[in-house]
Amino acid sequence: SAKKRIWGWMSFDWAAQPYYTLGLTFIVGPYFAVVAANYFMGQGLDPDAAGASAQSTWAFGQTCAGLVIAFTAPFLGAFADNTGRKMPWIIGFSILYVIGAWSLWFLTPDSSSLMLFLILFYVGFIAAESALNFINAYLPSLGTPDEVGRISGTGASFGYWGGLVSLIIMLLLFAEDAQTGKTLIGLDPLFGLGPSAREGTRAVGPFMAVWFAIFMIPFFLWVRDNPADAGAVPKMSKVWGDLKQTLRNVARRKSTASFLLGSMFYRDALNALYAFGGVYATLVLGWGTIWLGVFGIISVITAAVFTYVGGRFDTKLGPKPVIIFCILCLLVVSTIIVGMSRTQVFGIPLPADSMIPDIIFFVCGSVIGGAGGAIYAASRSMMVRHTNPDRPTEAFGLFALSGKATAFMAPMLIGVFTAMTGNVQLGFLPVIFLFLLGLVMLSWVNKDGDRAEWSAS
């Protein structure tokens, strides 16, 4: 029963990961960039300005979604802890996930309704992130404090393998190259989908919706709320009062406050790399669907492997060293991205047909995938060490707040820097600053968290 509960809990990562792998990074994000760039060129902008506008529009959507997630998560968490019921919220957000994913089918190559589809995409994204907060709140109850790091890393790794399988299916059978109209293995898109209307690529929406609906079944079968935690629906004044008390407790706990603040910066930077990596490859390197797909396969494999390995190091060393090492790796990658284009690397000119930028970005993608996966799992484990065992959902609501309260910052700064410089690469400069701020804040974080203080109280 305990093993089934853990497997059921991990099935959410497997079910939801395609929204990040296929949606945010490798299929929908780059496809939206192409559609948006063509739209802006139709409005009279030159190709460079249109590309910058496309990136800024994508950044605007992520900014708004991050704000919604940030300022609803703690309140929803406090409400769920007072009622002792997380499952109804997960069911509701699952429905929104499916609706947001399915709607992507209607984003045609000549579409002018960019803002509508941006809203629909991020409705699904908000649902995925909000459901994840409630999923994470189950983590402390799945094992002992020393087992949580391994469970978190294994679950995240399991999710990345799900993202990989879904990406391979899309590339082999559905997503067509814009030039040839063929999939990665030279086939026409399945079910007679028309390449000229990019129907194979647009099928990613219904595919993600069906995938999620199928693979959430183990979660709903094997994971239950604890009946002993059930309570009456509280008044809003009580929920707000409990949340304010929790915030006061966090302010008095130096390690918790430093971790939440530091993770706010480095997770914001990491999410920007995920959201704009595919856009960067499309606009700067000129990659099509097939190149992006191979890039995605490699980066997702490294994410799955290194997230699993990171979970093992978390068990032996604790999550803090894992987080620091990953931030250092991501700082190096971000610096390379800023200093590279199709024609030069850190000012060294390259031939027009050089493959060096492509090779470098493949390596960067592997590092982003590996370090990003490990830092996600280790951060989740570190939050358990700073969680009041009586208020887990509220604690992970604050964790979501710290990850999303400034979620507008990286996309906004990327959008501003891109618009000011007219250069997609220089638009990534804010990411470096945010990683550095997160690294500094970690110096005040206790590697063991606040577990001793919670036990004493």
Side-chain angles (χ1 to χ4, degrees), residues 243-254:
L243 181 57
K244 287 193 293 184
Q245 183 59 46
T246 298
L247 291 171
R248 284 192 288 267
N249 290 337
V250 168
R252 291 195 294 265
R253 297 176 187 275
K254 182 178 179 180

Side-chain angles (χ1 to χ4, degrees), residues 51 64 131 133 140 190 193 221 271 303 311 319 325 342 390 423 433:
C64 294
N133 298 331
L190 207 62
L193 296 173
L221 286 177
N271 288 334
F325 176 77
R342 170 54 70 189
D390 296 326
N423 185 288
F433 304 143

Side-chain angles (χ1 to χ4, degrees), residues 26 98 123-124 173 220 294 309 313 319-320 333 343 366 379 399 457:
F26 296 115
V98 171
V123 163
L173 303 177
F220 291 123
V294 176
V309 173
F313 274 101
K320 184 177 177 180
V333 166
T343 58
S366 298
S379 297
F399 184 59
S457 61

Side-chain angles (χ1 to χ4, degrees), residues 174-226:
F174 292 99
E176 70 281 287
D177 183 79
Q179 303 300 320
T180 66
K182 302 293 184 179
T183 68
L184 181 63
I185 55 176
L187 299 177
D188 291 327
L190 207 62
F191 305 129
L193 296 173
S196 60
R198 300 300 300 274
E199 290 183 348
T201 297
R202 289 158 48 202
V204 68
F207 178 84
M208 291 190 301
V210 172
W211 177 283
F212 182 83
I214 292 173
F215 291 111
M216 276 297 284
I217 292 174
F219 176 85
F220 291 123
L221 286 177
W222 298 333
V223 179
R224 293 285 186 274
D225 289 328
N226 187 348

Side-chain angles (χ1 to χ4, degrees), residues 74-85 89 233-234 236 239 391 394:
F75 184 82
L76 291 177
F79 189 89
D81 278 333
N82 275 281
T83 61
R85 303 184 69 198
W89 295 98
V233 177
M236 292 299 105
V239 174
R391 310 284 296 177
E394 184 179 77

Side-chain angles (χ1 to χ4, degrees), residues 265-275 330 368 371-372 375-376 435:
F265 294 125
Y266 71 71
R267 288 160 65 202
D268 192 17
L270 177 60
N271 288 334
L273 285 181
Y274 284 148
L330 292 167
I368 292 171
I375 203 173
Y376 162 70
F435 276 130

